[in-house]
Amino acid sequence: MNHLQQLYQVIWQSRPLMQAAEAAVERGLEGSGLTVRMRAVLEILADGAAATVPDIAQRLEIKRQYVQLMINDTHAAGFTEAVPNPRHQRSKLIALTEVGQSLITQVMQREKELLQTIGSDLPEDELAITLRTMQRLIARLKSSAEEHAP
């Protein structure tokens, strides 16, 4: 396989990787009341720092309107709450509730245990190379898309 074919395969394999990862996350969320999308919001807020909907959208790299729907679901489930934003009166901050913080901590711990199980034999240096390569490909694809945007 030549360089171009390998590059194509690396990019092409990202889809089944993400589908398998999402399926694993879904299995880990069974009975929690969380969906994969709600979990993504909770993970963004897991460090304890509240954020605005636009901030969350930027971190997830998806549209603000879609994040608002996800936030609505996390609010309804009691996992997040809107709190005053000292920098902007109309744009509330979204924060985890105690229930949401406890739940995402448990979920992320289970996921770390799964990663330990499936990846403990993967060499650290190979993972580092893979991570750097993926980051560079993402940056180059984004840059290329921006250059060709109307």
Side-chain angles (χ1 to χ4, degrees), residues 23-57:
V25 168
E26 280 178 343
R27 284 190 302 276
L29 295 176
E30 288 177 4
S32 70
L34 280 176
T35 65
V36 172
R37 277 108 186 108
M38 291 165 69
R39 182 225 168 275
V41 169
L42 269 59
E43 183 179 11
I44 295 292
L45 302 171
D47 63 3
T52 64
V53 169
D55 291 338
I56 295 168

Side-chain angles (χ1 to χ4, degrees), residues 7-27:
L7 180 58
Y8 182 83
Q9 283 301 308
V10 166
I11 293 170
W12 187 253
Q13 289 299 311
S14 66
R15 182 176 176 89
L17 173 63
M18 288 308 301
Q19 288 172 330
E22 186 169 337
V25 168
E26 280 178 343
R27 284 190 302 276

